[in-house]
Amino acid sequence: MDEKEILLNLALHRYDEVNNRNSSVDNKNKSMIGFIGIILTIEITILPQIFNRSSEILLINASRALICLEIMSICCYAISIFYFISAITFVSTFQEAPVMSGIISSIENKDDADLIINKNIVSLQKCIEDNHEIVEDKTKKAKIGFEFFKYGLISTVTFFILLLLTFWR
């Protein structure tokens, strides 16, 4: 195996790594969307019950605090879902390499094997750089989504602690 073939194999390996990272980021984002959906369903189900149980005058202020925490956590989760979804549905398309039409045209033109390898190494480099940029953008959006998820989770935990303390009899 000569130098160019080694470089091509390394470039193909790097391309596979970027593709695998893209799949991993997408899977994590999809999991978070599902998990937040479950939390939102539970919280939205509990909200009307707070209104039903807050008939006593002493509980009105506690109910207001509960409702504020509930709304705050729902808003944080909604923003978090927005970022996770925007990370999955991106505007740029993921590049593919090597492009089969380029390889076939090189073969039809009876290009030298070294020339074919050189062309593919260059196209792989561009493809890897573009795909890496797309994955980094997805990762940045997911990090923002996790931040809002963290604030939503803190609000939810505080909400449940206050709920237990308020309606403890």
Side-chain angles (χ1 to χ4, degrees):
M1 195 181 283
D2 68 348
E3 283 181 20
K4 291 182 182 181
E5 289 177 19
I6 292 171
L7 291 174
L8 182 61
N9 285 335
L10 288 173
L12 287 169
H13 177 70
R14 178 68 180 131
Y15 176 78
D16 289 339
E17 284 180 350
V18 171
N19 279 345
N20 291 338
R21 184 166 178 233
N22 180 55
S23 296
S24 175
V25 168
D26 280 349
N27 289 336
K28 288 176 185 177
N29 289 337
K30 290 174 187 175
S31 297
M32 289 305 300
I33 290 169
F35 183 65
I36 292 170
I38 292 169
I39 292 173
L40 277 172
T41 303
I42 292 168
E43 284 197 20
I44 291 173
T45 305
I46 291 173
L47 193 57
Q49 303 214 359
I50 295 172
F51 288 116
N52 293 340
R53 297 209 49 193
S54 64
S55 59
E56 300 172 19
I57 294 178
L58 293 175
L59 295 179
I60 289 176
N61 287 335
S63 295
R64 287 181 184 153
L66 284 170
I67 291 168
C68 286
L69 282 170
E70 183 84 1
I71 291 170
M72 186 168 58
S73 66
I74 289 171
C75 289
C76 285
Y77 290 138
I79 293 168
S80 179
I81 283 178
F82 168 77
Y83 275 102
F84 286 125
I85 289 173
S86 70
I88 292 172
T89 56
F90 52 91
V91 177
S92 303
T93 56
F94 219 65
Q95 304 294 318
E96 294 180 5
V99 179
M100 290 307 294
S101 61
I103 293 173
I104 291 170
S105 74
S106 291
I107 292 170
E108 288 172 349
N109 294 337
K110 297 181 182 178
D111 289 343
D112 168 312
D114 285 339
L115 182 61
I116 294 172
I117 290 173
N118 288 344
K119 285 181 184 177
N120 281 301
I121 289 174
V122 171
S123 70
L124 273 169
Q125 177 190 4
K126 171 96 172 85
C127 180
I128 291 168
E129 289 171 359
D130 292 346
N131 290 350
H132 181 73
E133 189 175 310
I134 290 170
V135 173
E136 286 301 313
D137 185 51
K138 286 181 173 187
T139 305
K140 286 177 188 175
K141 290 177 181 177
K143 284 180 182 180
I144 295 170
F146 275 110
E147 282 297 312
F148 279 102
F149 172 73
K150 179 176 68 174
Y151 298 135
L153 198 58
I154 290 169
S155 300
T156 299
V157 169
T158 307
F159 165 80
F160 279 114
I161 291 171
L162 184 58
L163 182 69
L164 288 172
L165 292 175
T166 302
F167 294 113
W168 190 297
R169 292 182 191 233

